[in-house]
Amino acid sequence: MEQTWRWFGPNDVIQLNHIRQAGATGVVNALHEIPYGVVWPVAEIEKRKAMIEGDKSLDLRWSVVESLPIHEDIKIGEGDLTPLFDNYRQSMRNLAQCGVTMICYNFMPVLDWTRTDLRAPLPGGGTALRFNAFEHAAFDVHMLERPGAEADHKPEVLARARAWFDKASESDKKQLLSNIMSGLPGAFDRYDIPGLRRMIARFKGMDAAGLRERLARFLREVIPTAEEVGIRMGIHPDDPPRPLFGLPRVVSTEDDLAHLLDAVKSEANGLTFCTGSLGAGVNNDVPAMAKRFADRVHFVHLRNVTKEPDGSFQEAEHLGGDVDMVSVVTTMLEEQKRRKDAGDPRWRLPFRPDHGHELLDDVGKKTHPGYPAIGRLKGLAEIRGVMTAVASIKGLPV
């Protein structure tokens, strides 16, 4: 599989030569500075591509766009959406014109990936991303004050949430808001409490069926263009795979994945298979899902989580946690062979080590939450070892 690395552009403290030192050759990048819904101009795409690929000694390529974001109005289904769909399609055409033909995107309303603790302590002094169910409930019930929020949380979680809130300082509450907002990368509005209430209110009355229909509409609008220009679209699962703050999420379960793939039956309509996002779902059998949907996977995120009975979870080591990573890697290598044998010129699957522990010299550095260099380097090395061993034993192409 193609070893890739998420890079946040020229302001990222992790530099392109560091990516090459890690052993990756593909760069996962986006034009985060361009607001949602605005066309990505060819000139800006070419400028970023030249930045990534200009130093031939590094032998890097811009292999995946993560993400070409979807404007919130499309998820709401509000107003005349023609200009937004037109702009999205034009951005796709411009990317394809520049030779960038893999797009990762998500359909999570309002918030992207969500954690309540960005520096949960690890043995020896490292840190990990963590989702505490009681902190989520404290924010939902006592800070956001969402009507009816209590019904969405277990009684024991509500009790801990009340206790946390009662003793929390204003600094604690401010930090929790900041942590929850930190999953929104690049060009975005970080909401304060009133702003978040207003955004959530725009989805009032929408259930999972309604959001599914808006996702299906998006796919019907853009997949024909993807087919036309040779782009493969890979939707990222919800993270965590459950409703948050009363907002529905529809890319969380095996049934969800089957539904969206059936909505528009096209090779261009595929998945970003994220073992960590899916792994946080209590009822998700991630290795089984990998086998079922392997032929529609276009991009792979490999990370692991450890779940707890109250709904909390923490980012684990890449080969630790609840997901059988060896099984998933084996499935993806077998799928690669199937594609290669079928003559698919794009048979090699791009993957990246997703999220990593903050370790060693990275502790305290201003890296994007979840994206320190050393923790991801450790994860990439571990996965590379699994990949090499499995390929050797089974006679599969790497």
Side-chain angles (χ1 to χ4, degrees):
M1 295 189 284
E2 180 189 15
Q3 300 174 43
T4 71
W5 188 276
R6 190 169 190 183
W7 183 59
F8 289 92
N11 294 324
D12 196 333
V13 299
I14 297 166
Q15 300 172 22
L16 290 168
N17 64 308
H18 299 160
I19 296 173
R20 193 64 184 88
Q21 289 174 38
T25 56
V27 174
V28 178
N29 189 238
L31 302 182
H32 292 300
E33 65 274 16
I34 297 179
Y36 293 7
V38 176
V39 173
W40 287 17
V42 168
E44 292 302 313
I45 297 169
E46 290 284 15
K47 180 180 176 182
R48 183 60 56 83
K49 187 177 182 184
M51 189 179 299
I52 293 168
E53 301 181 6
D55 186 343
K56 298 305 180 184
S57 70
L58 298 180
D59 194 27
L60 296 174
R61 78 179 191 102
W62 186 359
S63 60
V64 180
V65 170
E66 186 179 344
S67 299
L68 181 58
I70 300 169
H71 196 280
E72 218 64 26
D73 286 353
I74 291 175
K75 301 172 191 175
I76 298 168
E78 195 172 78
D80 179 11
L81 301 179
T82 302
L84 289 175
F85 286 127
D86 285 344
N87 287 355
Y88 201 96
R89 287 187 288 258
Q90 189 58 53
S91 293
M92 294 169 67
R93 293 188 184 99
N94 292 350
L95 283 163
Q97 179 181 327
C98 298
V100 184
T101 56
M102 174 61 223
I103 295 174
C104 169
Y105 69 102
N106 76 70
F107 211 77
M108 289 178 263
V110 184
L111 297 170
D112 205 312
W113 63 266
T114 303
R115 302 291 185 272
T116 65
D117 188 345
L118 305 183
R119 288 189 168 83
L122 296 169
T127 69
L129 299 180
R130 181 173 173 81
F131 181 93
N132 279 319
F134 71 90
E135 288 180 325
H136 166 229
F139 184 87
D140 193 19
V141 175
H142 302 296
M143 293 175 61
L144 192 60
E145 298 178 316
R146 180 173 64 86
E150 292 88 346
D152 292 342
H153 305 279
K154 299 175 182 178
E156 62 271 24
V157 171
L158 287 172
R160 290 193 69 190
R162 177 82 256 181
W164 181 91
F165 183 77
D166 286 345
K167 70 177 183 180
S169 66
E170 287 306 309
S171 177
D172 293 333
K173 297 171 189 176
K174 183 178 179 181
Q175 186 63 58
L176 180 57
L177 172 63
S178 176
N179 291 349
I180 289 171
M181 290 297 108
S182 291
L184 294 166
F188 60 86
D189 293 322
R190 286 185 182 246
Y191 308 113
D192 57 13
I193 295 291
L196 184 56
R197 287 185 187 131
R198 287 192 295 270
M199 278 304 304
I200 290 173
R202 295 182 67 194
F203 286 85
K204 185 177 181 180
M206 186 181 295
D207 58 11
L211 189 60
R212 269 187 170 182
E213 175 48 40
R214 284 153 180 79
L215 173 55
R217 179 185 178 186
F218 169 76
L219 294 171
R220 292 192 297 268
E221 292 280 355
V222 306
I223 292 301
T225 300
E227 293 174 333
E228 171 195 331
V229 300
I231 277 179
R232 291 180 177 175
M233 302 284 291
I235 192 167
H236 189 286
D238 303 323
D239 184 12
R242 66 188 74 167
L244 292 182
F245 309 121
L247 297 166
R249 290 190 162 194
V250 295
V251 193
S252 295
T253 67
E254 184 170 350
D255 181 63
D256 288 339
L257 300 188
H259 188 275
L260 74 91
L261 293 175
D262 286 342
V264 177
K265 294 183 179 180
S266 167
E267 183 180 323
N269 177 28
L271 305 174
T272 294
F273 196 84
C274 180
T275 56
S277 296
L278 295 171
V282 174
N283 297 315
N284 286 340
D285 183 338
V286 178
M289 294 168 77
K291 290 178 181 178
R292 177 176 177 183
F293 300 116
D295 64 336
R296 299 290 288 277
V297 172
H298 297 325
F299 182 34
V300 185
H301 287 181
L302 297 176
R303 64 180 174 86
N304 223 322
V305 296
T306 300
K307 298 185 291 292
E308 298 168 22
D310 69 350
S312 302
F313 62 89
Q314 183 163 306
E315 306 273 1
E317 293 184 348
H318 284 74
L319 300 186
D322 298 336
V323 176
D324 183 347
M325 195 66 69
V326 175
S327 176
V328 174
V329 170
T330 300
T331 295
M332 295 306 161
L333 287 171
E334 289 172 343
E335 172 61 18
Q336 275 199 156
K337 184 178 188 305
R338 185 196 68 77
R339 296 183 190 190
K340 185 177 183 182
D341 291 347
D344 183 350
R346 296 166 64 179
W347 60 270
R348 182 167 279 119
L349 274 168
F351 83 92
R352 67 174 179 84
D354 193 17
H355 295 178
H357 290 165
E358 190 178 60
L359 304 171
L360 304 173
D361 291 347
D362 275 339
V363 175
K365 282 186 180 177
K366 292 186 179 298
T367 55
H368 288 263
Y371 291 95
I374 296 170
R376 284 188 290 163
L377 172 61
K378 178 175 179 282
L380 178 58
E382 291 171 346
I383 294 163
R384 184 187 296 134
V386 170
M387 187 173 66
T388 303
V390 169
S392 176
I393 292 167
K394 289 182 168 284
L396 299 170
V398 177

